[in-house]
Amino acid sequence: IMMKIKLIRKVKPEFIAATVADKQIFKDYRCPVCHGLVYDNYTYCPYCANELDWSKTIEEESYSKL
């Protein structure tokens, strides 16, 4: 029996937007491989199964000042 193995990469989520509601900032990220929406509590992308490396996430400085 031959099995197909999918290699999983560790990727850096891309910051795409920030929303402010009730004095809280909600940040939106996407997977750089499949462009699916991911949240900061995800370990893997639910769409392409790549591992998300949150330690390397670079956020836009303008949103971090809100």
Side-chain angles (χ1 to χ4, degrees), residues 24-42:
Q24 291 183 329
I25 299 174
F26 300 96
K27 298 177 182 176
D28 294 328
Y29 298 92
R30 70 176 173 197
C31 173
V33 177
C34 70
H35 305 290
L37 184 64
V38 295
Y39 297 102
D40 58 3
N41 62 340
Y42 287 7

Side-chain angles (χ1 to χ4, degrees), residues 8-9 66:
I8 298 175
R9 296 187 295 174
L66 291 176

